[in-house]
Amino acid sequence: GQNIDQPTEMTATEGAIVQINCTYQTSGFNGLFWYQQHAGEAPTFLSYNVLDGLEEKGRFSSFLSRSKGYSYLLLKELQMKDSASYLCAAMDSNYQLIWGAGTKLIIKP
Amino acid sequence: ETGVTQTPRHLVMGMTNKKSLKCEQHLGHNAMYWYKQSAKKPLELMFVYNFKEQTENNSVPSRFSPECPNSSHLFLHLHTLQPEDSALYLCASSPTGDASGANVLTFGAGSRLTVL
């Protein structure tokens, strides 16, 4: 079956760096998405990776290894506003999105 | 307004009630989606509409009935729901329903449904 695994919850300190991992098992692969969802708000698009490697967007970077079925989202210089859930989703061979359950990130002062 | 707007934001209903959730997008997108989000579970795709035509129904019980009168509006009609249907219902839109990794979803903030 198809599956996405990501940690349920993580805690980090303001100003630090945190890495949220995501492993996927899908029938075929057409890319991996990360979304951010603040409590009570809409999920918003963060990144899309389809090729191996690291893509950087300001304080956020996303990495993909297709051979390992692995991605991570790296958040630098953490701010309190980064407290949110981070959703990982892989796109299978039929371009269907397979979603993880999300990682709740708690930032402490 | 811009983006994807969902109403109502909160809804409490009895198992015998009939209610509807509304979604409106102001992005000029041609595909719209209903997702169910339950606590600590992955998003579940319910329905997809592409250019007003339903292209996906993920084995959703008939007590959920979607309607897409035009590319900007999407409804989810609810009837004789069960307590386990309590969840956050998210609407999303994308430029098209085409199979593409570039087809990024824009979500609404959701309608929090509680079934008593």
Side-chain angles (χ1 to χ4, degrees):
Chain A
Q2 306 198 98
N3 190 54
I4 301 278
D5 282 318
Q6 53 181 130
T8 302
E9 188 174 298
M10 299 181 70
T11 302
T13 304
E14 191 177 15
I17 299 173
V18 71
Q19 178 175 309
I20 303 174
N21 296 325
C22 171
T23 57
Y24 62 88
Q25 294 173 311
T26 55
S27 301
F29 180 75
N30 280 299
L32 189 128
F33 293 81
W34 284 97
Y35 283 79
Q36 179 190 59
Q37 185 178 22
H38 286 101
E41 297 184 15
T44 56
F45 170 76
L46 288 178
S47 66
Y48 169 67
N49 294 64
V50 67
L51 300 176
D52 285 354
L54 184 70
E55 293 205 6
E56 299 185 60
K57 280 186 187 179
R59 295 188 299 112
F60 289 17
S61 302
S62 57
F63 172 83
L64 177 67
S65 168
R66 295 176 65 133
S67 62
K68 294 182 180 179
Y70 168 68
S71 172
Y72 67 72
L73 184 68
L74 189 71
L75 291 73
K76 302 178 184 176
E77 301 170 14
L78 286 170
Q79 301 175 10
M80 298 303 293
K81 68 178 182 180
D82 297 329
S83 292
S85 288
Y86 292 85
L87 310 179
C88 172
M91 187 169 273
D92 69 11
S93 59
N94 294 320
Y95 294 91
Q96 299 295 310
L97 283 173
I98 312 302
W99 293 86
T103 299
K104 182 178 180 180
L105 178 63
I106 300 168
I107 308 298
K108 296 185 175 179
Chain B
E1 291 197 49
T2 59
V4 179
T5 304
Q6 292 188 240
T7 54
R9 292 294 310 277
H10 299 274
L11 178 63
V12 179
M13 59 187 288
M15 288 166 44
T16 58
N17 292 158
K18 287 186 181 180
K19 296 285 184 183
S20 296
L21 307 181
K22 179 183 176 182
C23 176
E24 186 173 0
Q25 57 97 0
H26 308 271
L27 300 167
H29 289 170
N30 292 304
M32 297 188 78
Y33 309 75
W34 279 117
Y35 277 91
K36 178 182 180 182
Q37 187 176 37
S38 302
K40 300 184 179 181
K41 290 186 177 180
L43 288 180
E44 298 175 46
L45 179 64
M46 300 175 73
F47 303 105
V48 181
Y49 279 83
N50 194 21
F51 292 95
K52 300 188 298 178
E53 298 296 321
Q54 187 177 133
T55 57
E56 188 134 0
N57 176 340
N58 268 2
S59 303
V60 180
S62 59
R63 56 186 184 268
F64 295 92
S65 174
E67 179 189 2
C68 188
N70 54 60
S71 294
S72 299
H73 294 85
L74 184 65
F75 296 88
L76 188 63
H77 302 301
L78 315 171
H79 178 49
T80 59
L81 295 190
Q82 304 298 311
E84 59 265 29
D85 297 323
S86 298
L88 182 68
Y89 289 84
L90 291 167
C91 174
S93 69
S94 65
T96 71
D98 291 347
S100 166
N103 204 19
V104 174
L105 297 173
T106 301
F107 285 90
S111 293
R112 172 72 60 187
L113 173 65
T114 302
V115 181
L116 301 178

Short mmCIF file of all heavy atoms in Angstrom, two decimals, chain A residues 49-99:
data_model
loop_
_atom_site.label_atom_id
_atom_site.label_comp_id
_atom_site.label_asym_id
_atom_site.label_seq_id
_atom_site.Cartn_x
_atom_site.Cartn_y
_atom_site.Cartn_z
N ASN A 49 9.20 19.37 -4.55
CA ASN A 49 10.45 18.78 -5.04
C ASN A 49 10.12 17.58 -5.91
O ASN A 49 9.32 16.73 -5.51
CB ASN A 49 11.33 18.29 -3.88
CG ASN A 49 11.84 19.41 -3.00
OD1 ASN A 49 11.06 20.10 -2.34
ND2 ASN A 49 13.14 19.59 -2.97
N VAL A 50 10.74 17.51 -7.06
CA VAL A 50 10.60 16.32 -7.90
C VAL A 50 11.98 15.74 -8.27
O VAL A 50 12.09 14.56 -8.58
CB VAL A 50 9.76 16.62 -9.17
CG1 VAL A 50 10.49 17.58 -10.09
CG2 VAL A 50 9.36 15.34 -9.87
N LEU A 51 13.01 16.56 -8.19
CA LEU A 51 14.38 16.11 -8.44
C LEU A 51 15.13 16.01 -7.12
O LEU A 51 14.83 16.74 -6.17
CB LEU A 51 15.10 17.08 -9.38
CG LEU A 51 14.46 17.26 -10.75
CD1 LEU A 51 15.24 18.32 -11.54
CD2 LEU A 51 14.40 15.95 -11.51
N ASP A 52 16.13 15.13 -7.08
CA ASP A 52 16.95 15.00 -5.89
C ASP A 52 17.66 16.31 -5.57
O ASP A 52 18.08 17.03 -6.47
CB ASP A 52 18.00 13.90 -6.08
CG ASP A 52 17.40 12.51 -6.00
OD1 ASP A 52 16.22 12.39 -5.67
OD2 ASP A 52 18.14 11.54 -6.27
N GLY A 53 17.80 16.56 -4.28
CA GLY A 53 18.59 17.71 -3.88
C GLY A 53 17.83 18.64 -2.96
O GLY A 53 16.72 18.35 -2.53
N LEU A 54 18.50 19.73 -2.68
CA LEU A 54 18.00 20.71 -1.73
C LEU A 54 17.53 21.95 -2.45
O LEU A 54 18.23 22.48 -3.30
CB LEU A 54 19.13 21.08 -0.74
CG LEU A 54 18.77 22.02 0.41
CD1 LEU A 54 17.86 21.32 1.41
CD2 LEU A 54 20.06 22.49 1.10
N GLU A 55 16.34 22.42 -2.09
CA GLU A 55 15.84 23.69 -2.63
C GLU A 55 15.60 24.63 -1.46
O GLU A 55 14.96 24.27 -0.49
CB GLU A 55 14.53 23.47 -3.39
CG GLU A 55 14.69 22.66 -4.65
CD GLU A 55 13.61 22.93 -5.66
OE1 GLU A 55 12.79 23.83 -5.45
OE2 GLU A 55 13.59 22.21 -6.68
N GLU A 56 16.15 25.84 -1.59
CA GLU A 56 16.07 26.80 -0.50
C GLU A 56 15.15 27.96 -0.86
O GLU A 56 15.20 28.49 -1.97
CB GLU A 56 17.47 27.34 -0.18
CG GLU A 56 18.44 26.25 0.25
CD GLU A 56 19.79 26.78 0.67
OE1 GLU A 56 19.84 27.58 1.64
OE2 GLU A 56 20.80 26.42 0.05
N LYS A 57 14.32 28.33 0.13
CA LYS A 57 13.44 29.49 -0.02
C LYS A 57 13.51 30.26 1.28
O LYS A 57 12.76 30.01 2.21
CB LYS A 57 11.98 29.05 -0.24
CG LYS A 57 11.61 28.61 -1.61
CD LYS A 57 10.08 28.37 -1.66
CE LYS A 57 9.66 27.77 -2.97
NZ LYS A 57 8.19 27.53 -2.99
N GLY A 58 14.42 31.19 1.35
CA GLY A 58 14.55 31.98 2.56
C GLY A 58 14.96 31.11 3.75
O GLY A 58 15.93 30.36 3.67
N ARG A 59 14.17 31.17 4.82
CA ARG A 59 14.52 30.38 6.02
C ARG A 59 14.14 28.91 5.88
O ARG A 59 14.55 28.09 6.68
CB ARG A 59 13.80 30.96 7.24
CG ARG A 59 14.22 32.36 7.63
CD ARG A 59 13.60 32.79 8.97
NE ARG A 59 12.15 32.81 8.94
CZ ARG A 59 11.37 31.97 9.63
NH1 ARG A 59 11.90 31.02 10.38
NH2 ARG A 59 10.05 32.07 9.56
N PHE A 60 13.34 28.59 4.86
CA PHE A 60 12.87 27.22 4.68
C PHE A 60 13.60 26.56 3.51
O PHE A 60 13.78 27.17 2.46
CB PHE A 60 11.36 27.21 4.39
CG PHE A 60 10.48 27.58 5.57
CD1 PHE A 60 10.99 28.23 6.68
CD2 PHE A 60 9.13 27.30 5.55
CE1 PHE A 60 10.19 28.58 7.74
CE2 PHE A 60 8.31 27.64 6.62
CZ PHE A 60 8.83 28.28 7.71
N SER A 61 13.98 25.29 3.70
CA SER A 61 14.58 24.49 2.63
C SER A 61 13.90 23.14 2.62
O SER A 61 13.47 22.64 3.66
CB SER A 61 16.07 24.29 2.87
OG SER A 61 16.75 25.53 2.98
N SER A 62 13.82 22.54 1.44
CA SER A 62 13.25 21.20 1.34
C SER A 62 14.21 20.33 0.55
O SER A 62 14.79 20.76 -0.46
CB SER A 62 11.87 21.24 0.68
OG SER A 62 11.93 21.85 -0.59
N PHE A 63 14.36 19.10 1.03
CA PHE A 63 15.31 18.15 0.44
C PHE A 63 14.56 16.90 -0.01
O PHE A 63 13.59 16.47 0.63
CB PHE A 63 16.37 17.76 1.48
CG PHE A 63 17.27 16.65 1.05
CD1 PHE A 63 18.38 16.91 0.25
CD2 PHE A 63 17.02 15.33 1.42
CE1 PHE A 63 19.22 15.88 -0.17
CE2 PHE A 63 17.84 14.30 1.02
CZ PHE A 63 18.95 14.57 0.22
N LEU A 64 15.05 16.31 -1.09
CA LEU A 64 14.45 15.07 -1.59
C LEU A 64 15.52 14.09 -1.99
O LEU A 64 16.50 14.46 -2.67
CB LEU A 64 13.55 15.36 -2.80
CG LEU A 64 12.92 14.15 -3.48
CD1 LEU A 64 11.90 13.47 -2.56
CD2 LEU A 64 12.28 14.54 -4.81
N SER A 65 15.32 12.81 -1.60
CA SER A 65 16.12 11.70 -2.12
C SER A 65 15.13 10.67 -2.66
O SER A 65 14.46 9.98 -1.88
CB SER A 65 16.99 11.08 -1.01
OG SER A 65 17.54 9.85 -1.46
N ARG A 66 15.04 10.57 -3.96
CA ARG A 66 14.09 9.64 -4.57
C ARG A 66 14.49 8.20 -4.32
O ARG A 66 13.65 7.35 -4.10
CB ARG A 66 13.98 9.91 -6.07
CG ARG A 66 13.40 11.27 -6.40
CD ARG A 66 13.39 11.54 -7.88
NE ARG A 66 12.51 10.62 -8.59
CZ ARG A 66 11.62 10.99 -9.50
NH1 ARG A 66 11.48 12.26 -9.80
NH2 ARG A 66 10.87 10.09 -10.11
N SER A 67 15.78 7.93 -4.33
CA SER A 67 16.24 6.55 -4.14
C SER A 67 15.93 6.04 -2.74
O SER A 67 15.71 4.84 -2.54
CB SER A 67 17.75 6.45 -4.42
OG SER A 67 18.47 7.26 -3.51
N LYS A 68 15.88 6.95 -1.77
CA LYS A 68 15.61 6.56 -0.39
C LYS A 68 14.14 6.78 0.01
O LYS A 68 13.75 6.43 1.12
CB LYS A 68 16.51 7.34 0.57
CG LYS A 68 17.98 7.00 0.41
CD LYS A 68 18.84 7.77 1.41
CE LYS A 68 20.30 7.40 1.24
NZ LYS A 68 21.17 8.13 2.18
N GLY A 69 13.36 7.37 -0.87
CA GLY A 69 11.97 7.65 -0.52
C GLY A 69 11.88 8.56 0.69
O GLY A 69 11.11 8.31 1.62
N TYR A 70 12.65 9.64 0.65
CA TYR A 70 12.85 10.46 1.84
C TYR A 70 12.91 11.92 1.48
O TYR A 70 13.50 12.32 0.47
CB TYR A 70 14.16 10.01 2.49
CG TYR A 70 14.72 10.90 3.57
CD1 TYR A 70 14.09 11.04 4.80
CD2 TYR A 70 15.92 11.58 3.37
CE1 TYR A 70 14.62 11.84 5.79
CE2 TYR A 70 16.46 12.40 4.34
CZ TYR A 70 15.81 12.51 5.56
OH TYR A 70 16.33 13.31 6.54
N SER A 71 12.28 12.72 2.33
CA SER A 71 12.34 14.16 2.19
C SER A 71 12.45 14.78 3.58
O SER A 71 12.08 14.15 4.58
CB SER A 71 11.07 14.68 1.50
OG SER A 71 11.01 16.09 1.51
N TYR A 72 12.97 15.97 3.64
CA TYR A 72 12.88 16.72 4.88
C TYR A 72 12.65 18.20 4.60
O TYR A 72 13.00 18.70 3.53
CB TYR A 72 14.10 16.52 5.78
CG TYR A 72 15.43 17.06 5.30
CD1 TYR A 72 15.71 18.43 5.26
CD2 TYR A 72 16.44 16.18 4.90
CE1 TYR A 72 16.93 18.91 4.83
CE2 TYR A 72 17.68 16.66 4.48
CZ TYR A 72 17.92 18.01 4.44
OH TYR A 72 19.15 18.50 4.01
N LEU A 73 12.05 18.83 5.57
CA LEU A 73 11.84 20.28 5.56
C LEU A 73 12.73 20.86 6.65
O LEU A 73 12.67 20.42 7.80
CB LEU A 73 10.38 20.61 5.83
CG LEU A 73 9.96 22.07 5.78
CD1 LEU A 73 10.05 22.60 4.35
CD2 LEU A 73 8.54 22.24 6.32
N LEU A 74 13.57 21.80 6.27
CA LEU A 74 14.51 22.40 7.22
C LEU A 74 14.09 23.84 7.47
O LEU A 74 13.94 24.63 6.53
CB LEU A 74 15.93 22.36 6.63
CG LEU A 74 17.07 22.75 7.56
CD1 LEU A 74 17.28 21.66 8.62
CD2 LEU A 74 18.36 22.97 6.78
N LEU A 75 13.89 24.17 8.73
CA LEU A 75 13.50 25.52 9.10
C LEU A 75 14.62 26.14 9.93
O LEU A 75 15.01 25.61 10.97
CB LEU A 75 12.21 25.53 9.93
CG LEU A 75 10.89 25.15 9.24
CD1 LEU A 75 10.82 23.66 8.95
CD2 LEU A 75 9.71 25.58 10.09
N LYS A 76 15.14 27.27 9.48
CA LYS A 76 16.25 27.95 10.17
C LYS A 76 15.74 29.19 10.90
O LYS A 76 14.67 29.72 10.58
CB LYS A 76 17.31 28.36 9.16
CG LYS A 76 17.90 27.24 8.34
CD LYS A 76 18.91 27.78 7.33
CE LYS A 76 19.44 26.68 6.43
NZ LYS A 76 20.35 27.19 5.38
N GLU A 77 16.53 29.64 11.85
CA GLU A 77 16.21 30.87 12.60
C GLU A 77 14.74 30.89 13.01
O GLU A 77 13.99 31.80 12.68
CB GLU A 77 16.53 32.09 11.73
CG GLU A 77 17.98 32.17 11.29
CD GLU A 77 18.22 33.24 10.24
OE1 GLU A 77 17.33 34.10 10.03
OE2 GLU A 77 19.29 33.21 9.62
N LEU A 78 14.37 29.85 13.73
CA LEU A 78 12.97 29.65 14.07
C LEU A 78 12.37 30.86 14.77
O LEU A 78 12.99 31.49 15.63
CB LEU A 78 12.81 28.42 14.96
CG LEU A 78 12.96 27.07 14.24
CD1 LEU A 78 13.03 25.94 15.26
CD2 LEU A 78 11.82 26.86 13.26
N GLN A 79 11.11 31.15 14.37
CA GLN A 79 10.36 32.21 14.99
C GLN A 79 9.09 31.62 15.60
O GLN A 79 8.64 30.54 15.19
CB GLN A 79 10.00 33.27 13.93
CG GLN A 79 11.21 33.87 13.25
CD GLN A 79 10.85 34.83 12.12
OE1 GLN A 79 9.69 35.20 11.94
NE2 GLN A 79 11.86 35.23 11.34
N MET A 80 8.52 32.33 16.55
CA MET A 80 7.32 31.81 17.21
C MET A 80 6.21 31.54 16.20
O MET A 80 5.44 30.58 16.35
CB MET A 80 6.85 32.78 18.29
CG MET A 80 7.84 33.02 19.42
SD MET A 80 8.32 31.49 20.26
CE MET A 80 6.78 31.05 21.03
N LYS A 81 6.16 32.36 15.15
CA LYS A 81 5.10 32.19 14.15
C LYS A 81 5.25 30.91 13.33
O LYS A 81 4.35 30.54 12.57
CB LYS A 81 5.07 33.39 13.21
CG LYS A 81 6.29 33.51 12.31
CD LYS A 81 6.17 34.69 11.38
CE LYS A 81 7.38 34.78 10.45
NZ LYS A 81 7.30 35.94 9.52
N ASP A 82 6.39 30.22 13.47
CA ASP A 82 6.58 28.95 12.76
C ASP A 82 5.87 27.80 13.46
O ASP A 82 5.84 26.68 12.94
CB ASP A 82 8.08 28.63 12.64
CG ASP A 82 8.83 29.66 11.81
OD1 ASP A 82 8.22 30.26 10.89
OD2 ASP A 82 10.03 29.90 12.10
N SER A 83 5.33 28.05 14.65
CA SER A 83 4.53 27.03 15.33
C SER A 83 3.31 26.73 14.46
O SER A 83 2.47 27.60 14.21
CB SER A 83 4.07 27.53 16.70
OG SER A 83 5.15 27.67 17.59
N ALA A 84 3.22 25.50 13.99
CA ALA A 84 2.18 25.10 13.04
C ALA A 84 2.31 23.60 12.81
O ALA A 84 3.24 22.96 13.30
CB ALA A 84 2.35 25.86 11.72
N SER A 85 1.38 23.07 12.02
CA SER A 85 1.53 21.70 11.54
C SER A 85 2.10 21.74 10.14
O SER A 85 1.77 22.63 9.34
CB SER A 85 0.18 20.98 11.53
OG SER A 85 -0.24 20.69 12.84
N TYR A 86 2.98 20.78 9.84
CA TYR A 86 3.61 20.70 8.54
C TYR A 86 3.21 19.39 7.88
O TYR A 86 3.43 18.31 8.43
CB TYR A 86 5.13 20.84 8.69
CG TYR A 86 5.50 22.24 9.13
CD1 TYR A 86 5.50 22.58 10.49
CD2 TYR A 86 5.78 23.23 8.21
CE1 TYR A 86 5.77 23.88 10.90
CE2 TYR A 86 6.07 24.53 8.61
CZ TYR A 86 6.05 24.84 9.95
OH TYR A 86 6.32 26.13 10.36
N LEU A 87 2.57 19.51 6.73
CA LEU A 87 2.00 18.37 6.03
C LEU A 87 2.88 17.98 4.85
O LEU A 87 3.22 18.83 4.02
CB LEU A 87 0.60 18.70 5.51
CG LEU A 87 -0.40 19.32 6.50
CD1 LEU A 87 -1.72 19.60 5.81
CD2 LEU A 87 -0.58 18.43 7.70
N CYS A 88 3.21 16.70 4.79
CA CYS A 88 3.99 16.15 3.69
C CYS A 88 3.03 15.37 2.79
O CYS A 88 2.15 14.65 3.29
CB CYS A 88 5.07 15.23 4.28
SG CYS A 88 6.01 14.27 3.09
N ALA A 89 3.17 15.51 1.48
CA ALA A 89 2.31 14.79 0.55
C ALA A 89 3.11 14.38 -0.67
O ALA A 89 3.79 15.21 -1.29
CB ALA A 89 1.11 15.64 0.13
N ALA A 90 3.05 13.11 -1.03
CA ALA A 90 3.74 12.60 -2.22
C ALA A 90 2.73 12.35 -3.33
O ALA A 90 1.60 11.93 -3.07
CB ALA A 90 4.47 11.31 -1.88
N MET A 91 3.14 12.60 -4.54
CA MET A 91 2.26 12.41 -5.69
C MET A 91 2.65 11.10 -6.38
O MET A 91 3.82 10.91 -6.75
CB MET A 91 2.42 13.60 -6.64
CG MET A 91 1.45 13.62 -7.79
SD MET A 91 1.48 15.20 -8.67
CE MET A 91 0.31 16.14 -7.70
N ASP A 92 1.67 10.19 -6.54
CA ASP A 92 2.00 8.88 -7.08
C ASP A 92 1.96 8.89 -8.62
O ASP A 92 1.84 9.95 -9.24
CB ASP A 92 1.08 7.80 -6.49
CG ASP A 92 -0.37 7.91 -6.95
OD1 ASP A 92 -0.67 8.68 -7.88
OD2 ASP A 92 -1.23 7.24 -6.34
N SER A 93 2.06 7.73 -9.21
CA SER A 93 2.13 7.64 -10.67
C SER A 93 0.86 8.12 -11.36
O SER A 93 0.89 8.52 -12.53
CB SER A 93 2.44 6.21 -11.11
OG SER A 93 1.42 5.33 -10.62
N ASN A 94 -0.25 8.10 -10.64
CA ASN A 94 -1.52 8.62 -11.18
C ASN A 94 -1.75 10.07 -10.81
O ASN A 94 -2.86 10.59 -10.99
CB ASN A 94 -2.69 7.78 -10.67
CG ASN A 94 -2.66 6.37 -11.20
OD1 ASN A 94 -2.34 6.14 -12.37
ND2 ASN A 94 -2.98 5.40 -10.35
N TYR A 95 -0.72 10.71 -10.29
CA TYR A 95 -0.78 12.11 -9.87
C TYR A 95 -1.78 12.33 -8.74
O TYR A 95 -2.32 13.41 -8.58
CB TYR A 95 -1.08 13.04 -11.06
CG TYR A 95 0.05 13.05 -12.07
CD1 TYR A 95 0.06 12.17 -13.14
CD2 TYR A 95 1.13 13.93 -11.92
CE1 TYR A 95 1.11 12.17 -14.04
CE2 TYR A 95 2.17 13.94 -12.83
CZ TYR A 95 2.15 13.06 -13.89
OH TYR A 95 3.19 13.06 -14.78
N GLN A 96 -2.01 11.27 -7.96
CA GLN A 96 -2.83 11.40 -6.76
C GLN A 96 -1.93 11.78 -5.60
O GLN A 96 -0.83 11.24 -5.45
CB GLN A 96 -3.53 10.08 -6.44
CG GLN A 96 -4.47 9.60 -7.54
CD GLN A 96 -5.63 10.53 -7.76
OE1 GLN A 96 -6.31 10.91 -6.81
NE2 GLN A 96 -5.84 10.93 -9.00
N LEU A 97 -2.41 12.67 -4.75
CA LEU A 97 -1.63 13.07 -3.58
C LEU A 97 -1.88 12.10 -2.42
O LEU A 97 -3.03 11.85 -2.06
CB LEU A 97 -2.01 14.48 -3.14
CG LEU A 97 -1.44 15.63 -3.98
CD1 LEU A 97 -2.03 16.95 -3.52
CD2 LEU A 97 0.07 15.66 -3.88
N ILE A 98 -0.79 11.56 -1.88
CA ILE A 98 -0.84 10.72 -0.69
C ILE A 98 -0.32 11.57 0.46
O ILE A 98 0.83 12.01 0.43
CB ILE A 98 0.02 9.46 -0.84
CG1 ILE A 98 -0.24 8.77 -2.19
CG2 ILE A 98 -0.20 8.52 0.32
CD1 ILE A 98 -1.68 8.36 -2.41
N TRP A 99 -1.17 11.80 1.46
CA TRP A 99 -0.85 12.74 2.53
C TRP A 99 -0.34 12.03 3.78
O TRP A 99 -0.81 10.94 4.13
CB TRP A 99 -2.09 13.55 2.91
CG TRP A 99 -2.55 14.47 1.84
CD1 TRP A 99 -3.39 14.17 0.80
CD2 TRP A 99 -2.20 15.86 1.69
NE1 TRP A 99 -3.59 15.29 0.02
CE2 TRP A 99 -2.89 16.33 0.54
CE3 TRP A 99 -1.41 16.74 2.42
CZ2 TRP A 99 -2.77 17.66 0.10
CZ3 TRP A 99 -1.30 18.05 1.99
CH2 TRP A 99 -1.98 18.49 0.84
#
